[in-house]
Amino acid sequence: LEDMVTSARKLLGPAICEIVVCILGSTARHDRRPYSDLEYMILHGEVAGEKKKELEVYIAHLISLFELM
């Protein structure tokens, strides 16, 4: 996951606030099997006003890149 996040951040540039990606499910339990899905949650710091939309777009792009990896 760390490599995925690092690669995605290189492409997207820095986020406007702190972002943390946490693994869930079988991957977190170290029980992943072939064809297992990747479950994760993204936590982010607070943003106000117009910056919320910018953050939403950043996270949408981040998720899209995860799906491609």
Side-chain angles (χ1 to χ4, degrees), residues 35-52:
Y35 306 105
S36 290
D37 60 341
L38 180 60
E39 299 168 317
Y40 52 88
M41 70 176 162
I42 299 173
L43 306 172
H44 60 81
E46 287 189 46
V47 263
E50 297 175 7
K51 294 289 186 180
K52 285 184 179 183

Side-chain angles (χ1 to χ4, degrees), residues 7-8 14 16-17 19 21 27 30-32 36-38 47 49-53 56 63 68-69:
S7 297
I16 62 169
C17 65
I19 291 181
V21 180
T27 305
H30 302 285
D31 190 31
R32 191 160 185 199
S36 290
D37 60 341
L38 180 60
V47 263
E50 297 175 7
K51 294 289 186 180
K52 285 184 179 183
K53 183 63 177 171
E56 288 174 8
I63 291 169
L68 292 173
M69 293 181 187

Side-chain angles (χ1 to χ4, degrees), residues 1 9 15 17-18 22-23 25 28 30 37 47-48 50 58 64 66 68-69:
L1 179 67
R9 285 185 173 166
C17 65
E18 186 176 1
C22 301
I23 298 178
H30 302 285
D37 60 341
V47 263
E50 297 175 7
Y58 186 92
S64 295
F66 285 170
L68 292 173
M69 293 181 187

